[in-house]
Amino acid sequence: MAGELNGKVALVTGASRGIGAAIARGYAERGALVVGAARSTDQLRELEATNPERISTATVDLRDAESLNSLVDLVVERHGRIDILVNNAGVAPAADFATEPIEQWRTTFEVNVIAPMTLAQAAGRYFIPQRSGKIINIASTTGIRGKPGLVGYSTSKGAVARFTEALAAEWARHNIQVNCIAPGAFATDAQSAVLESPDLLHRRVRRIPAKRMGDVSELVPLACLLAAPGSDFITGSIFVIDGGESGKL
């Protein structure tokens, strides 16, 4: 609904493309001021151009704790406050677990787990005194049910889900809501190998009761609900959006 986020300020990571870009645009369309953060400067410029009055951007290294803390401060410097944090950025390296190097696990956890925790802590320094704040973590259905070939990624996204639940319980007394969206198969750049192969796409879609992959726009309404005042009694929840795939026997 247009205007449901009027006056709100949001930080969205991984905003250069896919789910993050869709959420950033959706928030701006509903009245929020948005800072979209990612590594890709060129794609961030494209995002900013879609709504320059409401979307600004920042380049960030998610493995640098100092940069993450500075990023939250930057949002407040630009807009005077921060109300919403969307931890969307992530990496999903596919590998054979038997030979996957420990350095790759570290990178996966630094980006997928430590960065969201660091940003949440930094945002909390503003949320707690103002007694309001929304944190929306983007996990994955592979964090609920493990997937072969993605052991490190699945484990990291499982950690994101548990982080959501634990922080929600700890910060509920401050009127801060922490929730998680766990997408299934969505048509994004991360799925390019599947989308570009008719055989792989057929096999992937066959496992989804809805018989199609999701479009990133279909995540936006839920992300907006969880950012809006109407969700103040929703916290510690994990919302699966996967066309029914994880609900099958």
Side-chain angles (χ1 to χ4, degrees):
M1 183 183 299
E4 64 185 313
L5 296 178
N6 278 346
K8 302 299 183 182
V9 175
L11 168 61
V12 181
T13 68
S16 59
R17 58 184 181 174
I19 292 170
I23 291 174
R25 290 193 300 268
Y27 283 177
E29 288 166 3
R30 288 161 176 81
L33 294 171
V34 181
V35 176
R39 290 180 302 174
S40 174
T41 303
D42 290 342
Q43 289 178 310
L44 284 175
R45 288 197 190 101
E46 292 174 10
L47 171 67
E48 193 167 357
T50 65
N51 196 336
E53 292 184 358
R54 294 198 169 275
I55 300 176
S56 62
T57 57
T59 305
V60 65
D61 179 359
L62 289 171
R63 299 179 65 184
D64 182 347
E66 185 175 343
S67 294
L68 295 176
N69 280 285
S70 297
L71 176 61
V72 173
D73 292 337
L74 173 67
V75 175
V76 176
E77 287 170 11
R78 284 184 185 175
H79 300 299
R81 61 186 293 120
I82 180 170
D83 302 286
I84 304 156
L85 167 64
V86 180
N87 284 311
N88 167 71
V91 294
D96 181 345
F97 179 73
T99 57
E100 187 174 12
I102 190 170
E103 290 78 12
Q104 188 156 282
W105 302 340
R106 285 200 180 99
T107 296
T108 300
F109 269 76
E110 285 175 355
V111 174
N112 294 359
V113 183
I114 302 301
M117 293 177 74
T118 302
L119 284 168
Q121 187 180 64
R125 289 196 282 271
Y126 295 97
F127 288 169
I128 291 172
Q130 71 192 26
R131 289 199 54 77
S132 66
K134 306 280 189 178
I135 299 174
I136 299 150
N137 297 317
I138 307 299
S140 167
T141 51
T142 64
I144 298 170
R145 296 185 175 182
K147 186 173 182 179
L150 288 171
V151 173
Y153 176 71
S154 294
T155 305
S156 73
K157 290 303 186 178
V160 169
R162 301 293 80 76
F163 165 57
T164 297
E165 293 167 339
L167 187 61
E170 185 165 325
W171 280 3
R173 68 183 186 275
H174 301 300
N175 192 35
I176 298 166
Q177 292 79 49
V178 188
N179 291 290
C180 179
I181 299 175
F186 276 76
T188 65
D189 290 349
Q191 296 288 334
S192 59
V194 173
L195 294 169
E196 293 166 5
S197 167
D199 181 58
L200 288 176
L201 180 59
H202 173 73
R203 283 189 283 164
R204 184 68 187 89
V205 167
R206 190 171 57 188
R207 301 199 298 271
I208 304 171
K211 300 306 176 187
R212 66 177 178 86
M213 296 179 78
D215 185 89
V216 292
S217 65
E218 294 175 289
L219 290 164
V220 174
L222 177 57
C224 290
L225 168 66
L226 296 177
S231 66
D232 285 355
F233 202 58
I234 302 172
T235 195
S237 296
I238 300 166
F239 296 89
V240 173
I241 303 182
D242 69 349
E245 184 175 10
S246 62
K248 293 191 307 178
L249 290 175

